[in-house]
Amino acid sequence: MSDNKDQHKDLPSSYNVNENSKNRQLESFRENPKNQYMTTDQGTRISHTDDSLKAGSRGPTIMEDFHFREKMTHLDHESIPERVVHARGSGAHGYFQPYDDSLKEYTKARFLTDPSTRTPLFVRFSTVVGSRGSADTVRDVRGFATKFYTSEGNYDLVANNIPVFFIQDSIKFPDLVHAIKPEPNNEMPQASAAHDTFWDFASLMPETMHMLLWVLSDRAIPRSFRMMEGFGVHTFRLINEAGKSRFVKFHWRPKLGAHSLVWDEAQKLAGKDPDWLRRDLWEAIEMGNYPEFELCVQIVEEEDELKFNFDLLDATKLIPEELVPLRPVGLMTLNRNPDNFFAETEQVAFHPGNLVPGIDVTNDPLLQGRLFSYIDTQINRFHSSNFTEVPINRPVVPVHNQNGAGFMRQTINKGRVNYWPNSIGEGEPKMAPENEGGYVHYEEKVEGHKIRARSESFNDHYSQATLFWNSMTEPEKKHIVQAAHFELGKVEIKAIRERMVGHFYKIAPELAEMVAEGIGVGIPKNQEIASTGHYEDNDASRKIKAGTSVDASTALSMEKNKIQTAKSRKVAILLEDGYDYDEVMQIKNALKEAGASAKIVSKLYGMRKATNGQEIEADKSHITTGSIMYDAIYIPDGEAHIEALMQEGDALHFINEAFKHCKAIATSGNGIALLQKAEVPGISFADKSAAKVMADKGVITAGTEADADDFATAFIDAIKKHRHWDREEKTKVPA
């Protein structure tokens, strides 16, 4: 062993990596056309690119036109197969920095334990079901994949915004994807689970029940990629320097809190701006509102693996935070947009088997299948195993191995030797011992008979679905029921709807009753639920449920964990000629100070003149935007301006739609009459000077004598609450 140590004494056990390491590496691949001549791919300068080479100005194109052939050939081959799932994505660069070195007790992974290091990373957010051209705001799981370019190699945390999954064993993944994708006979519907084949599959697979409630909840329609949580889904292992293993769950928590759209809003955004979430992420970074996510872990000692009423290896289960609290580890900051979408966001390739020393996988049967599938699908997309040489996928540390050849190989390996062991190349590249950073798999004793079966500890399919339901607030429960009405309302086969109601009854009778009422079915007698032979409908899961130690978990509710902030919120200011300029500027300044941004929305683009002669330019016209693109709206005072808005159907719709979607609304003076005409309930003509009307429901109004600072403060406080679900009248609004 002493000779082995001497042999490696000049080799670094890790490399110096900082937040700029990846950016510097990518710089050598970037192309900047500024002050440059256009060239062919061979570097020959181009003198003319508007016309092909012809035999006469009206004659046929000549095949010797190498520039035309090259240009057209590139266009014809500029696409690669899109991902089977997670095709629609958006990405950003950033870095991760641990808070301290306290995790050294649990892992030897340096990027998690060295607070002086900022590890560069790339994140790709995505939908799952839809194609590359589908809308951002569909009801779906969101991917949250992070590639850490660490000093010990690339580590990929391939997460979702929901902590559990539909299935327990990866052999069912092809069936799940086939069922949820557009139906094969007519390729409909796009990016939606609201059709017969998916719910037929789900109704025959009780293990989907927990995940289904998450997908029916507001978690599946996030307000922003910047405002959603991330979860590693699987249980992994952390290994420390002494070789001790512990189980771990990874969590991302957004510093802005987790917030959602409402379903009506999400559907309208899909038409008005299909790129809504992508644009929101891009613009936030460009404006310097860098998204931040706190990495947290749940750590379970190996000896405690079997103490829970569920199996840690079951991907349809989570560990309630009341049983194992989250432990904050460090902060991720996304501070740079990609230079080229295809080269970076589209070509980035993730794999849960991209590990570094100190992190290992478990026997989770869903995770085990992903370890195969992710490599396989990348080879399908790139037609080569050399996709790791694409710039965005390269580690920032040196790569030395005997892998070679294949499509588009870029590395030039020197020497005669491309095998190991060897003597001709003096046994190089050498093997790294564990103390020099060599990856060593955790030594886990595994034995058993070869068998197609699942552990009985995986048989509970309902108790955590019940836990999720019990943890919701009343508005959140209402949204789940409404989502079920939409999704199952699209299912044509009544027997499928009935089966699902039977499952819902096992989760919570009141859930089943409310869903059944909206989809035209009754509760199945004796709650008989048809299922595949693999899932015999017995009482095992109910017995397990009886011993569940947590009946509700506050952490599962977005509303109970709402972070109230106006930072990066978007406010629409409705303006026509004749507004109060001083009032507008005071509100705009107050919003800016609170971290929010304001856009002027008018009937037409151009300058809008105030009563004092000052002018403000409109940022958006009603035809190009809508209340669905803002978190709040403000209408300043001004008699002529208000009178003009009263005559605009788009403006009236803007207001009552914002009210229906439970957003903050503020106006003063004559604007109170506008709210009444826009059919905002509770607004009265009789008392325009009232200091506040419906302020407790997020509608902030002020008379002409009201204090402007108090008015602005009340409006910003209403914005911070995100939504005002207590507006019982909102269903009466016709928007």
Side-chain angles (χ1 to χ4, degrees):
M1 290 296 293
S2 59
D3 291 341
N4 191 44
K5 288 182 179 179
D6 291 340
Q7 187 181 36
H8 297 283
K9 66 181 180 180
D10 296 326
L11 298 177
S13 59
S14 66
Y15 295 85
N16 183 26
V17 172
N18 59 49
E19 63 180 291
N20 296 313
S21 296
K22 187 62 182 180
N23 194 26
R24 286 195 300 269
Q25 183 194 63
L26 291 176
E27 185 59 34
S28 63
F29 297 97
R30 293 188 177 111
E31 180 269 339
N32 188 345
K34 188 175 179 59
N35 297 323
Q36 300 295 322
Y37 290 112
M38 182 183 290
T39 74
T40 67
D41 285 344
Q42 310 306 319
T44 303
R45 290 181 179 178
I46 301 298
S47 62
H48 189 97
T49 192
D50 292 333
D51 299 287
S52 58
L53 189 66
K54 306 180 185 73
S57 62
R58 299 182 69 248
T61 297
I62 300 174
M63 284 301 293
E64 70 182 63
D65 188 350
F66 60 84
H67 176 45
F68 163 77
R69 295 201 317 271
E70 178 187 85
K71 192 173 179 180
M72 187 60 72
T73 299
H74 261 274
L75 176 65
D76 292 343
H77 296 269
E78 281 182 356
S79 64
I80 62 174
E82 67 175 32
R83 292 165 170 85
V84 176
V85 287
H86 297 277
R88 171 79 181 181
S90 304
H93 292 273
Y95 64 87
F96 173 78
Q97 186 170 20
Y99 292 137
D100 52 42
D101 65 356
S102 60
L103 217 61
K104 277 187 175 180
E105 178 184 350
Y106 304 100
T107 181
K108 56 186 175 183
R110 291 187 179 92
F111 80 101
L112 293 176
T113 58
D114 183 359
S116 68
T117 298
R118 289 182 170 183
T119 299
L121 53 80
F122 187 82
V123 172
R124 187 178 186 271
F125 302 107
S126 58
T127 53
V128 174
V129 179
S131 67
R132 223 183 120 183
S134 58
D136 276 344
T137 57
V138 297
R139 180 177 296 281
D140 198 358
V141 190
R142 296 307 189 283
F144 191 142
T146 307
K147 186 179 290 292
F148 297 85
Y149 305 101
T150 85
S151 62
E152 300 174 284
N154 288 353
Y155 170 64
D156 291 354
L157 178 54
V158 193
N160 286 334
N161 75 323
I162 290 176
V164 293
F165 201 62
F166 292 103
I167 54 175
Q168 296 170 323
D169 192 306
S170 57
I171 199 171
K172 297 306 298 175
F173 192 71
D175 299 301
L176 167 65
V177 173
H178 287 163
I180 202 169
K181 284 279 191 175
E183 298 185 12
N185 60 325
N186 58 19
E187 189 62 14
M188 294 189 292
Q190 176 58 244
S192 174
H195 57 103
D196 287 49
T197 59
F198 172 70
W199 288 99
D200 182 39
F201 174 82
S203 68
L204 298 172
M205 297 283 289
E207 68 193 70
T208 64
M209 291 306 125
H210 187 196
M211 177 70 166
L212 285 175
L213 257 64
W214 282 82
V215 172
L216 293 172
S217 79
D218 292 340
R219 299 272 186 167
I221 44 173
R223 158 64 180 82
S224 167
F225 290 137
R226 302 175 293 119
M227 301 173 193
M228 69 180 194
E229 292 185 85
F231 305 89
V233 180
H234 309 287
T235 300
F236 293 88
R237 288 184 182 273
L238 292 181
I239 318 294
N240 66 13
E241 291 285 359
K244 180 174 175 54
S245 167
R246 296 173 176 88
F247 296 107
V248 64
K249 292 269 194 182
F250 293 105
H251 297 243
W252 289 114
R253 294 197 302 191
K255 298 297 280 186
L256 291 174
H259 304 283
S260 71
L261 300 169
V262 297
W263 183 228
D264 180 65
E265 183 181 32
Q267 293 179 90
K268 291 173 178 175
L269 277 169
K272 199 85 171 182
D273 186 2
D275 305 307
W276 170 253
L277 296 180
R278 179 178 291 177
R279 191 183 315 281
D280 174 84
L281 177 66
W282 181 280
E283 291 180 348
I285 293 174
E286 290 296 298
M287 293 172 63
N289 292 324
Y290 299 143
E292 294 180 324
F293 298 85
E294 185 173 60
L295 180 64
C296 300
V297 294
Q298 288 177 295
I299 297 176
V300 176
E301 298 290 338
E302 270 203 314
E303 53 268 29
D304 293 333
E305 176 186 3
L306 303 179
K307 80 173 186 179
F308 303 100
N309 287 330
F310 53 88
D311 198 315
L312 291 181
L313 303 183
D314 182 353
T316 69
K317 305 298 187 297
L318 54 80
I319 306 176
E321 291 180 29
E322 289 77 7
L323 301 183
V324 181
L326 295 188
R327 176 176 182 150
V329 173
L331 188 68
M332 174 172 70
T333 303
L334 302 180
N335 60 1
R336 185 165 59 85
N337 282 314
D339 291 302
N340 183 276
F341 182 90
F342 179 82
E344 296 170 87
T345 306
E346 186 62 20
Q347 290 199 121
V348 68
F350 296 95
H351 174 40
N354 288 345
L355 304 167
V356 293
I359 303 174
D360 205 345
V361 299
T362 62
N363 298 330
D364 173 345
L366 182 62
L367 173 58
Q368 289 289 318
R370 291 179 76 195
L371 295 174
F372 163 77
S373 178
Y374 274 71
I375 289 288
D376 196 44
T377 196
Q378 303 304 346
I379 294 173
N380 177 62
R381 294 180 64 230
F382 291 95
H383 296 299
S384 172
S385 57
N386 289 320
F387 64 84
T388 54
E389 296 196 77
V390 173
I392 193 65
N393 295 322
R394 290 174 178 249
V396 295
V397 295
V399 174
H400 303 288
N401 56 48
Q402 277 99 18
N403 295 338
F407 285 113
M408 307 310 293
R409 178 67 172 177
Q410 298 175 49
T411 299
I412 301 172
N413 301 93
K414 297 173 64 176
R416 298 171 61 188
V417 174
N418 60 355
Y419 56 90
W420 204 94
N422 66 76
S423 62
I424 297 174
E426 299 181 352
E428 295 179 338
K430 302 176 175 67
M431 297 296 103
E434 186 174 3
N435 65 351
E436 291 291 339
Y439 189 92
V440 177
H441 290 272
Y442 177 66
E443 294 185 8
E444 178 186 10
K445 183 179 180 181
V446 179
E447 60 182 18
H449 296 287
K450 191 188 324 184
I451 183 173
R452 288 190 185 274
R454 294 190 199 177
S455 169
E456 290 186 5
S457 58
F458 279 45
N459 285 345
D460 174 13
H461 305 312
Y462 299 100
S463 65
Q464 287 212 348
T466 303
L467 169 66
F468 184 76
W469 173 258
N470 290 343
S471 303
M472 298 296 101
T473 62
E474 287 307 312
E476 289 173 311
K477 288 182 176 180
K478 183 177 181 181
H479 297 164
I480 290 172
V481 172
Q482 290 172 340
H485 287 169
F486 179 90
E487 296 282 319
L488 291 169
K490 297 277 189 175
V491 174
E492 297 178 357
I493 299 174
K494 187 176 181 180
I496 297 173
R497 303 199 302 270
E498 289 176 335
R499 284 202 299 268
M500 282 309 308
V501 169
H503 287 299
F504 289 153
Y505 191 90
K506 286 198 166 189
I507 295 169
E510 70 271 22
L511 168 62
E513 291 162 5
M514 288 186 286
V515 172
E517 183 180 11
I519 60 173
V521 300
I523 308 294
K525 291 182 179 180
N526 301 319
Q527 297 80 55
E528 295 173 355
I529 305 168
S531 64
T532 64
H534 182 78
Y535 300 98
E536 295 183 7
D537 186 24
N538 54 41
D539 293 329
S541 66
R542 313 313 291 173
K543 292 176 182 177
I544 294 173
K545 182 182 176 181
T548 300
S549 56
V550 178
D551 295 322
S553 174
T554 300
L556 303 184
S557 165
M558 287 196 294
E559 284 301 303
K560 294 175 184 177
N561 293 276
K562 186 185 293 183
I563 293 177
Q564 297 194 11
T565 177
K567 186 178 179 182
S568 81
R569 293 295 184 176
K570 299 175 181 178
V571 180
I573 301 178
L574 304 190
L575 276 194
E576 297 300 341
D577 291 340
Y579 57 89
D580 185 327
Y581 180 84
D582 291 336
E583 182 185 321
V584 171
M585 296 311 296
Q586 186 158 4
I587 292 295
K588 284 190 73 174
N589 291 334
L591 290 170
K592 184 177 180 180
E593 189 174 334
S597 63
K599 295 290 184 182
I600 304 300
V601 178
S602 186
K603 181 178 181 179
L604 301 171
Y605 282 102
M607 304 303 293
R608 300 281 80 86
K609 185 177 289 187
T611 53
N612 66 356
Q614 296 271 26
E615 291 185 327
I616 299 178
E617 186 173 5
D619 298 301
K620 298 287 183 180
S621 64
H622 282 294
I623 200 170
T624 61
T625 192
S627 74
I628 53 177
M629 297 179 175
Y630 301 94
D631 298 294
I633 63 172
Y634 159 61
I635 307 110
D637 196 9
E639 188 173 351
H641 143 77
I642 295 297
E643 183 61 33
L645 289 174
M646 284 187 173
Q647 306 308 312
E648 294 177 18
D650 286 339
L652 296 174
H653 178 78
F654 202 105
I655 295 166
N656 64 25
E657 184 177 59
F659 183 86
K660 179 181 180 180
H661 294 159
C662 302
K663 297 176 180 179
I665 301 173
T667 191
S668 64
N670 293 283
I672 298 173
L674 177 64
L675 297 190
Q676 202 278 343
K677 182 161 185 181
E679 302 184 39
V680 173
I683 303 298
S684 171
F685 276 124
D687 189 14
K688 289 198 291 185
S689 63
K692 292 181 181 179
V693 179
M694 292 181 64
D696 60 329
K697 295 185 179 181
V699 180
I700 311 301
T701 61
T704 54
E705 304 301 322
D707 183 271
D709 289 336
D710 289 345
F711 176 59
T713 299
F715 182 38
I716 290 169
D717 286 344
I719 294 171
K720 289 178 179 179
K721 293 180 181 179
H722 182 59
R723 305 280 180 175
H724 298 267
W725 301 122
D726 54 353
R727 292 180 187 166
E728 296 177 0
E729 304 95 334
K730 67 179 182 296
T731 55
K732 301 176 185 177
V733 177

